[in-house]
Amino acid sequence: MATRLGLGLPQNRQYHLGRDVPDVARTAERIGYDSVWVYERALFPEPATQGLYGVEGLPWPDSYRHVADPLVTLALAAAATERVRLGSSVLVAPLHVPFQLAKALASLDAASGGRVVAGFGTGWSLDEYAASGFRPIRERGQVLDEIIDVCRAVWGPDPVRYDGRITKIGSAVVGPKPARPIPILLAASTRRARERLVEHADGWLPVGVGVEQIASQWQALRDLAAERGRRQPIQTVLRVNPAYSAKAHDGAGRRPFQGNADQIVEDLHAHAAIGLEEILVDLQGTARDAEELKDVAAEVYEKARAAGI
């Protein structure tokens, strides 16, 4: 069975939100992509309180200076398409009020005919939590747990009742409901995050940093699922962020997913062999504009399918 392929939607500065998002989404669907995806960065601190991913001295990429809101982006894509699934990899869920996030995702799923994939993460930016988080960053794991529970409650049958640390729903009718149960996928790299995924979520959202590391993480997750007696299969969507160039990289010190379309597809093939169900290819970072993004997306897709991915 072929690995499903997804495409990252254009959210960065070089794109026009209202024009390019629907255009790229329609093109992705026409090319044959199975899904379109967004990510979330709330702001670009200047100067930064901390390095990228919390690593001291690691600079934030310039693309983070301008990232369109993920839910607005998905709504634009939903209105322009009929088939592709609409995913987030990832929403920094604890930056959102649980009830409002649950209702927004339910509305998007109802409007799109059941195509939403809710990918959540906890984030790492102190500055984003200071600006957007209604709870401190040290509570992000607890907040994510409650968000998952609130989503399940709000998306379920009426009357909705929920009594949590943050959210209190006495008894209420909440609509619209999703067209079908929305899958919740998590970016889980730590032991506690993997436990949350196995116990409460539908799937996993790894990031492509190398075949051996992803394979090791995937095995650890499956081992934990077996240990906990989980019977439901774990859905998987691997995010890769290629550094595309028209010319081939010379090979000296080439990182995964760096180079021309053939080299990117070579790395896609190696990662697909791990056994993950879907790979999200986010090409927006190195494309000059939407036209180049669409051209590269078509080339990568055609070469990937020709390679048996």
Side-chain angles (χ1 to χ4, degrees), residues 38-39 41 52-53 64 88-90 120-121 124 186-189 197 204-218 221 236-242 256-257 267-268 271 274 276 278-282:
V38 294
Y39 74 107
R41 280 273 69 86
L52 184 67
Y53 311 129
Y64 284 1
S88 57
S89 177
V90 295
F120 295 158
W124 47 267
L186 301 180
S189 56
L197 190 160
W204 181 43
L205 293 169
V207 177
V209 292
V211 173
E212 292 184 1
Q213 186 171 342
I214 295 298
S216 176
Q217 292 175 359
W218 179 218
L221 185 58
T236 52
V237 181
L238 173 71
R239 164 181 274 276
V240 299
N241 304 298
F257 304 105
D267 292 331
L268 287 174
H271 283 74
I274 297 171
L276 305 179
E278 185 165 357
I279 302 178
L280 149 63
V281 185
D282 194 339

Side-chain angles (χ1 to χ4, degrees), residues 186 193-201 220-230 232 234:
L186 301 180
R194 287 195 292 268
E195 290 173 348
R196 177 183 294 112
L197 190 160
V198 167
E199 295 167 4
H200 301 296
L221 185 58
R222 286 180 291 176
D223 290 345
L224 179 61
E227 175 188 315
R228 296 296 173 91
R230 177 179 171 131
Q232 179 187 7
I234 296 174

